[in-house]
Amino acid sequence: CHCVADSKQWYQRRVRGVMAGYKYMLGMLGQIALYFSWSISITFFNKWCFSTFHFPLIVSFFHMVIVSHVIWLYRTLVKGYTGADKISWGVYAKRVCPTAIAAAMDIALSNWSFMYITVSMYTMCKSSAIVFILISAIIFKLEKPRLLSVVVVAFIALGLFLFTYKSSSFNLVGFILVMSASAVGGLRWVLAQILLQRDSLGLTNTLEFVYHVEPVMAASILPLALGMEGQDMALSPDFILASQAQSLQVMFIVGVGACSRSDSPSQSTSFLVIPPP
């Protein structure tokens, strides 16, 4: 009787363990599917947005400003945050600012490239970001060079070359912009991973991470936005002669883009497999 009871308990534990594993796997697959479907939707939204409103850097700046204020409001009201920041200015300048600047450049260059290339070209070129993530991880000694990694990088580079070689939709300026975004993006995700994995910095909470990073992102992109697009926007007939309804429409589009942005620094880091330092 005891043997039968023990076998029954073992079987029940085994079934519960298997069911828990399946539940975890299905949940993870659901999150991945949701993430990629949302990311693809935002990619097409950005392409449409910048085909209508030809100031991607200025739009990116306002995205970051809106996200900063939304996070500040949520952090203050919903979370009831009343304590003082734990990060010193030295750590902020040394650790947070480089991550924020890299993230801002990644987003700005990616959005800028939509002015010159198609969504398919953009998606294919941005897939090379894993190459730059690996290179950055090796530079920061988070990953050791391995033959398998080199082979994967080589195949990605070969696929990118075959896709862009004699492509009818190839545009050199757009290609340079999106590849620069991929390069900076590799650095961005590695730096973000380091910040999120170090408990001593107090940024393991993604809310705190975005709260500290987003304002620097907006400040770092503002000079570039004003220098490249400020005068053109100020002199644009669409801006000068815009009616109230058109102005509200632009504000709505920019607001939707900010609130649904899928390239926030707090996201996608969960998909990295870099071990903690």
Side-chain angles (χ1 to χ4, degrees), residues 46-145:
N46 284 343
K47 179 63 177 178
W48 170 80
C49 176
F50 300 130
S51 298
T52 306
F53 191 72
H54 305 288
F55 303 103
L57 299 179
I58 292 177
V59 171
S60 300
F61 166 74
F62 280 107
H63 281 180
M64 296 168 190
V65 171
I66 293 172
V67 171
S68 298
H69 284 81
V70 170
I71 291 295
W72 172 82
L73 187 63
Y74 177 82
R75 185 175 182 261
T76 302
L77 299 180
V78 179
K79 290 294 184 180
Y81 184 85
T82 56
D85 294 336
K86 298 179 180 180
I87 301 178
S88 65
W89 284 108
V91 173
Y92 194 85
K94 221 192 242 180
R95 299 287 186 181
V96 177
C97 288
T99 306
I101 293 172
M105 291 300 103
D106 179 15
I107 295 171
L109 293 173
S110 296
N111 289 342
W112 200 356
S113 68
F114 279 121
M115 300 291 295
Y116 303 96
I117 59 176
T118 61
V119 171
S120 58
M121 174 70 76
Y122 168 85
T123 304
M124 190 65 192
C125 293
K126 281 291 282 186
S127 65
S128 65
I130 187 65
V131 176
F132 298 104
I133 290 175
L134 179 61
I135 294 173
S136 299
I138 292 173
I139 292 174
F140 283 90
K141 298 180 180 180
L142 301 179
E143 186 78 21
K144 293 181 179 179

Side-chain angles (χ1 to χ4, degrees), residues 170-264:
F170 181 81
N171 182 283
L172 181 60
V173 175
F175 179 77
I176 293 174
L177 287 173
V178 72
M179 291 305 296
S180 299
S182 294
V184 179
L187 177 63
R188 163 198 184 181
W189 293 125
V190 170
L191 293 177
Q193 192 78 358
I194 292 173
L195 287 181
L196 288 169
Q197 289 180 341
R198 289 192 175 176
D199 296 335
S200 60
L201 298 178
L203 295 178
T204 53
N205 185 309
T206 54
L207 179 66
E208 292 296 315
F209 180 84
V210 177
Y211 173 79
H212 288 88
V213 169
E214 205 75 26
V216 182
M217 292 173 60
S220 61
I221 199 179
L222 180 58
L224 182 63
L226 293 178
M228 299 299 298
E229 300 175 349
Q231 184 177 358
D232 292 338
M233 181 177 176
L235 299 177
S236 172
D238 295 333
F239 178 73
I240 299 174
L241 304 177
S243 63
Q244 185 177 4
Q246 290 173 327
S247 300
L248 291 175
Q249 181 182 11
V250 170
M251 291 172 62
F252 175 76
I253 292 173
V254 173
V256 170
C259 295
S260 60
R261 205 179 76 198
S262 64
D263 48 10
S264 175

